[in-house]
Amino acid sequence: MRAARVRATSPAGTPYAFPNNPAPSSAIEVHSDIPKPQVSKPGELLIQVKASTVYRDNLEWNELYPPHHALLGNDFAGVVVAVHESEQDFRIGDHVYGMAHANRGGTWAEYAIVTSEEAIRKPDHLSWEEAAALPGSALTADQALFMHAGLESTARHHPKRVLITGASGGIGMYLVQFAIAAGHDVVAATSSTERNGSFLRSIGAHEVVEYGEFAALSDGFDLVVDSAGEPVLGECWHVVKADGTLVAFDACSWGYIQEHQRKGISKGKEGVRALYFIAEPSQVSMGRIAVHVANGTVKGQVLKTVGLDEVREAYETVHSGRGIGHGKIVVVF
């Protein structure tokens, strides 16, 4: 089958690894002779992949490098073509979407193994592209807010003041929408209100600010969720309450808590509950997302579609973060 994978070593023979020596985009290779995976364990599903997505940090996951897998891609939308004999929830022919676990990946391929915990049935009104654009970003947003930060999913009486950085990005837009839908007071932070302000207000943000305006904000946020990374992450300590919560998940933000303590960036905010996490497949999270999808309040935002032979250029575009608009680049098969 055709699939995209990462070359294990540099041309000089140095093994790629994260965080010290991540592979460059030139290490992404498309092969036509990758063995088609086979169902071998209870809970596994073989998916004929119809669509996947490109992340800005696809090459910055430790799980990608040896001794782990080297096949790229985590989001998927596709058709179940084989199941384990013990499978009870899914059957051949089901249309599903979801996110494969970071330790396996492999959805930039014509076929991929996923698990029944990672998949959920695709509603008919979502296209393959829209379905693929949802899971990774929406799962990360849901888990940041409701699993790790402990935000109430229905804040009728005690809404929290929430700041979202990178608010117009692939994950940020879902952070804004989910926090708004839960009844919280949301301020969306972006690099440019001129470029992103109208979009952020259209998805419900109560207020939109630029990063340069942080100095004028009081340290009155119960929760700050950063999806922008450094240097914005360092500024978040100034606006989170002394007993508030700060959450980060970008691959390059790993270890930020210790690093900020060492540099004195978090000095005076020792009471802040600072967290870092990596999103994992979850039927609970996907169930909450499915409610939004069914209500029509959330759908996958597709910026453009590309073929498998174009994934290297697509990754370079997303990784640069320059002028890519709102939505995901979707790989179609």
Side-chain angles (χ1 to χ4, degrees):
M1 70 172 185
R2 300 186 74 237
R5 67 186 311 161
V6 177
R7 190 173 61 245
T9 62
S10 70
T14 304
Y16 292 124
F18 184 79
N20 296 323
N21 186 35
S25 60
S26 59
I28 299 174
E29 300 175 339
V30 176
H31 294 261
S32 300
D33 57 353
I34 303 294
K36 181 180 174 181
Q38 302 295 324
V39 170
S40 61
K41 300 175 184 176
E44 288 186 342
L45 313 172
L46 178 62
I47 304 297
Q48 181 184 12
V49 180
K50 296 294 187 180
S52 185
T53 65
V54 180
Y55 295 174
R56 73 177 183 187
D57 59 354
N58 272 120
L59 298 180
E60 296 170 351
W61 294 21
N62 184 58
E63 294 87 355
L64 178 67
Y65 298 100
H68 305 288
H69 70 86
L71 290 180
L72 286 154
N74 293 84
D75 289 332
F76 64 87
V79 182
V80 177
V81 295
V83 300
H84 191 268
E85 60 183 9
S86 63
E87 181 60 41
Q88 296 183 352
D89 296 328
F90 295 95
R91 65 183 63 185
I92 293 173
D94 282 347
H95 292 189
V96 297
Y97 70 111
M99 183 187 79
H101 197 286
N103 64 12
R104 182 164 21 82
T107 64
W108 285 7
E110 292 175 323
Y111 294 89
I113 292 290
V114 303
T115 71
S116 55
E117 175 67 17
E118 297 164 350
I120 190 170
R121 285 178 178 80
K122 183 184 78 68
D124 292 339
H125 73 272
L126 281 186
S127 68
W128 294 119
E129 295 83 0
E130 289 170 336
L134 268 167
S137 296
L139 271 171
T140 302
D142 177 272
Q143 291 176 15
L145 294 170
F146 307 119
M147 182 183 298
H148 295 282
L151 208 63
E152 291 182 341
S153 58
T154 306
R156 291 189 178 93
H157 304 296
H158 302 287
K160 300 295 185 181
R161 186 161 168 78
V162 180
L163 175 69
I164 307 296
T165 72
S168 65
I171 297 172
M173 68 173 70
Y174 292 112
L175 287 164
V176 172
Q177 291 175 87
F178 291 166
I180 291 288
H184 299 284
D185 180 16
V186 177
V187 176
T190 178
S191 58
S192 170
T193 54
E194 180 180 359
R195 185 171 62 249
N196 300 317
S198 295
F199 170 74
L200 289 168
R201 293 184 184 93
S202 75
I203 62 173
H206 297 118
E207 184 180 351
V208 181
V209 299
E210 293 187 353
Y211 301 135
E213 299 175 274
F214 273 24
L217 296 175
S218 64
D219 58 347
F221 289 95
D222 301 289
L223 169 63
V224 178
V225 184
D226 174 70
S227 67
E230 299 289 5
V232 175
L233 177 56
E235 298 298 316
C236 292
W237 293 96
H238 302 303
V239 294
V240 65
K241 283 184 177 180
D243 60 351
T245 299
L246 173 59
V247 179
F249 45 77
D250 187 85
C252 291
S253 298
W254 184 85
Y256 83 94
I257 301 169
Q258 296 77 13
E259 181 71 7
H260 288 185
Q261 288 173 342
R262 185 180 67 81
K263 293 182 176 180
I265 294 172
S266 58
K267 186 176 182 180
K269 293 293 180 76
E270 289 77 11
V272 170
R273 186 167 68 102
L275 308 169
Y276 178 86
F277 79 99
I278 298 173
E280 296 187 354
S282 165
Q283 284 289 321
V284 173
S285 290
M286 287 301 290
R288 281 194 290 257
I289 294 165
V291 171
H292 290 292
V293 172
N295 292 339
T297 54
V298 164
K299 70 174 184 177
Q301 298 279 346
V302 179
L303 179 64
K304 71 173 183 176
T305 60
V306 299
L308 189 60
D309 291 324
E310 302 169 278
V311 291
R312 179 188 294 179
E313 292 78 10
Y315 172 75
E316 291 171 349
T317 298
V318 174
H319 188 67
S320 74
R322 293 190 294 270
I324 63 170
H326 308 119
K328 302 298 284 285
I329 295 181
V330 177
V331 186
V332 294
F333 296 86

